[in-house]
Structure formats: structure tokens, C-alpha cells
């Protein structure tokens, strides 16, 4: 339950960011990924990063599907993953500047 509250606070924090703040945060995130690749540490953080991602996916799915048994939710879950999780992963693993704009747009949505 405490984790859910922290995730909601994180979501609120992102929702309150302006587009320029969000782009700056994403660029910082890209920079971290780039530096981790440069020094060969991506393999060390990959497992922890994956755990965080899986926890966020699991939490989001639990929120999307909680008590909703008569409405299909798979399309919503897949759309959310494509618009957020996969774009943030791409942002972290790729230093392409067009990814920053795409990830910022997804996070702002």
C-alpha cells in the first residue's frame, strides 16, 4: 500500500510538470542511460531497472483491472505500456533526441 501511495505521488509530480520541465527530466534520464552504457554499467543496473518497471506494470494493471470483470482491459493496458513504459525504455536505451519529444508527449498525456 505504501508503494502505491509513492507511485501516485510520482504520477502527480509528473502531471504537474510543465512540458519544458518534463523534457529536461527526460533528457537527464537519457543522459544517465548514455553514461551507464559508456562506462559499461548497464548490465549492473538492468536487473534493478527491470524490477522497477515490472512493479510499475503490475501496479498499473492492478489499478486498471481492479474490480472490473465485465469490461475487457487488455487494450487499455497495452496502450498504456506502448505510450509510457516502452517509450521510457527507448528513451533510456537510446540517445536519439526525437525520443525526448515523444516521451514528453506520452508522459504529459
Amino acid at each position: 500500500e505504501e508503494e502505491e501511495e509513492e507511485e501516485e505521488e510520482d504520477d502527480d509530480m509528473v502531471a504537474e510538470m510543465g512540458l519544458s520541465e518534463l523534457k529536461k527530466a527526460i533528457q537527464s534520464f537519457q543522459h544517465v542511460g548514455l553514461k551507464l552504457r559508456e562506462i559499461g554499467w548497464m548490465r549492473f543496473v538492468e536487473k534493478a531497472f527491470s524490477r522497477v518497471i515490472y512493479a510499475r506494470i503490475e501496479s498499473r494493471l492492478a489499478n486498471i483491472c481492479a474490480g472490473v470483470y465485465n469490461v475487457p482491459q487488455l487494450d487499455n493496458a497495452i496502450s498504456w505500456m506502448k505510450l509510457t513504459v516502452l517509450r521510457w525504455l527507448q528513451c533510456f536505451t537510446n540517445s536519439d533526441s526525437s525520443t525526448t519529444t515523444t516521451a514528453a508527449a506520452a508522459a504529459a498525456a
Side-chain angles (χ1 to χ4, degrees), residues 3-109:
E3 263 184 44
E4 286 179 25
E5 288 176 16
E6 288 176 10
E7 288 173 9
E8 287 175 13
E9 288 173 12
D10 290 345
D11 291 344
D12 290 343
M13 183 180 75
V14 170
E16 292 173 6
M17 287 179 147
L19 190 56
S20 63
E21 282 181 298
L22 194 52
K23 282 184 180 180
K24 188 174 181 177
I26 292 168
Q27 287 172 340
S28 295
F29 190 64
Q30 279 180 312
H31 186 72
V32 167
L34 177 65
K35 292 300 179 185
L36 287 171
R37 285 191 306 279
E38 282 179 7
I39 63 174
W41 282 22
M42 190 62 86
R43 64 181 178 204
F44 299 116
V45 299
E46 187 176 321
K47 193 172 187 175
F49 192 67
S50 294
R51 275 188 250 159
V52 170
I53 291 170
Y54 291 136
R56 291 291 291 193
I57 291 170
E58 186 177 334
S59 174
R60 178 66 179 212
L61 290 175
N63 288 335
I64 289 173
C65 301
V68 180
Y69 304 109
N70 59 346
V71 178
Q73 298 295 326
L74 185 58
D75 288 340
N76 290 340
I78 291 172
S79 292
W80 171 77
M81 286 183 61
K82 284 180 181 177
L83 290 171
T84 56
V85 176
L86 295 179
R87 288 192 178 163
W88 279 99
L89 277 173
Q90 182 182 20
C91 182
F92 189 66
T93 60
N94 182 356
S95 60
D96 179 11
S97 62
S98 66
T99 307
T100 303
T101 303
T102 306

